[in-house]
Amino acid sequence: GVVLAIETSNPSAAGAGFGPAVVVARHDAHSTVELARAALDRGRPHDEQLVPAIDRAVRAAGLRPADLSCVAV
């Protein structure tokens, strides 16, 4: 299925070179492949950025919201 993953709170993600982001990935029993990522600005409130970031990531993956199988937060 296609997963929408949202990470806004884990400081260890920043240490790994990532940071707050929305990711769209295709997941099956054998692998997970990132299709698109939209970063969030650490200096701005996440509530202002989350919906636009989801929209960017879903569109960048060439998908529609109805194509998502689940949401992971």
Side-chain angles (χ1 to χ4, degrees), residues 18-65:
F18 296 111
V22 172
V23 175
V24 176
R26 186 167 310 279
H27 175 74
D28 63 28
H30 304 290
S31 66
T32 301
V33 177
E34 183 176 310
L35 303 175
R37 173 182 296 266
L40 301 176
D41 181 349
R42 292 186 193 119
R44 292 182 41 219
H46 297 196
D47 61 343
E48 295 176 359
Q49 303 178 70
L50 199 52
V51 171
I54 291 169
D55 184 58
R56 285 193 313 273
V58 170
R59 287 175 186 262
L63 302 171
R64 300 169 300 136

Side-chain angles (χ1 to χ4, degrees), residues 2-6 22-25 36 53-55 57-58 68-73:
V2 178
V3 179
L4 172 67
I6 301 170
V22 172
V23 175
V24 176
I54 291 169
D55 184 58
V58 170
L68 299 172
S69 302
C70 66
V71 177
V73 180

